[in-house]
Amino acid sequence: MCQETLNNGTSVVIDNTNAQRKTRALYISQAKKLHIPVRCFHFTTSEEVAKHLNMFREVTLSLSLFLSLLVSLQAHSYLSLLQKQSGRKHVPRIGYVMYKKNFEEPNKNEGYTEIRKIDFQPLFESKEDERMFLEFT
């Protein structure tokens, strides 16, 4: 799908964790074949915040509410965590351990034209949104 979209001249956003260079290389090579610049937006969070966001996702009953909170938090990279929120299972401790063990920080020599680190900063539209989010802290 990525290749087809690039072939049609449309911009592509790969919204995934892509912890390893070899995984990212698949996407980067497709873009490079077409001489398309590749930018990386590396959203950084602590393990504690990642666990909090996952727990918040688990206990949130309304998918539309969760989506609106994510948009208001400007944490668009977390949309990949949704997939089908109601059927999504708890992320076990081993998931965090393996991600951390296998993580390779993005580097320009992979073929990126730009790498931007973006720290997670929640922004709330209302006190109620903030209260709900912080309730699970």
Side-chain angles (χ1 to χ4, degrees):
M1 183 172 181
C2 176
Q3 187 67 54
E4 181 182 328
T5 304
L6 289 172
N7 287 339
N8 291 333
T10 305
S11 294
V12 175
V13 174
I14 307 300
D15 184 13
N16 202 341
T17 54
N18 295 312
Q20 297 177 304
R21 285 183 190 96
K22 67 181 179 185
T23 306
R24 297 187 297 261
L26 298 170
Y27 301 113
I28 294 169
S29 66
Q30 290 178 12
K32 291 296 179 184
K33 286 178 191 172
L34 298 169
H35 308 287
I36 297 172
V38 180
R39 297 182 300 160
C40 173
F41 295 91
H42 178 191
F43 289 83
T44 60
T45 59
S46 67
E47 186 174 324
E48 180 182 355
V49 170
K51 287 177 179 178
H52 173 77
L53 290 170
N54 280 315
M55 186 188 60
F56 183 67
R57 175 187 45 84
E58 287 174 32
V59 299
T60 303
L61 298 176
S62 167
L63 179 58
S64 61
L65 173 61
F66 191 54
L67 285 171
S68 68
L69 282 174
L70 287 175
V71 170
S72 70
L73 294 172
Q74 296 182 357
H76 303 290
S77 70
Y78 292 100
L79 291 176
S80 62
L81 295 175
L82 290 174
Q83 292 181 353
K84 288 184 179 173
Q85 186 228 9
S86 60
R88 194 67 194 244
K89 294 188 171 124
H90 174 74
V91 177
R93 184 176 179 277
I94 190 69
Y96 297 98
V97 171
M98 293 304 293
Y99 181 82
K100 190 174 185 176
K101 177 184 172 192
N102 294 317
F103 179 72
E104 298 170 308
E105 185 147 348
N107 188 299
K108 277 188 113 175
N109 67 14
E110 293 179 57
Y112 294 112
T113 55
E114 174 186 13
I115 297 176
R116 269 194 210 170
K117 279 193 175 184
I118 301 170
D119 295 328
F120 177 78
Q121 296 292 324
L123 300 173
F124 303 101
E125 289 184 5
S126 72
K127 287 292 184 187
E128 180 62 14
D129 289 350
E130 182 177 14
R131 185 199 63 74
M132 282 184 61
F133 184 79
L134 297 176
E135 183 176 313
F136 304 106
T137 312

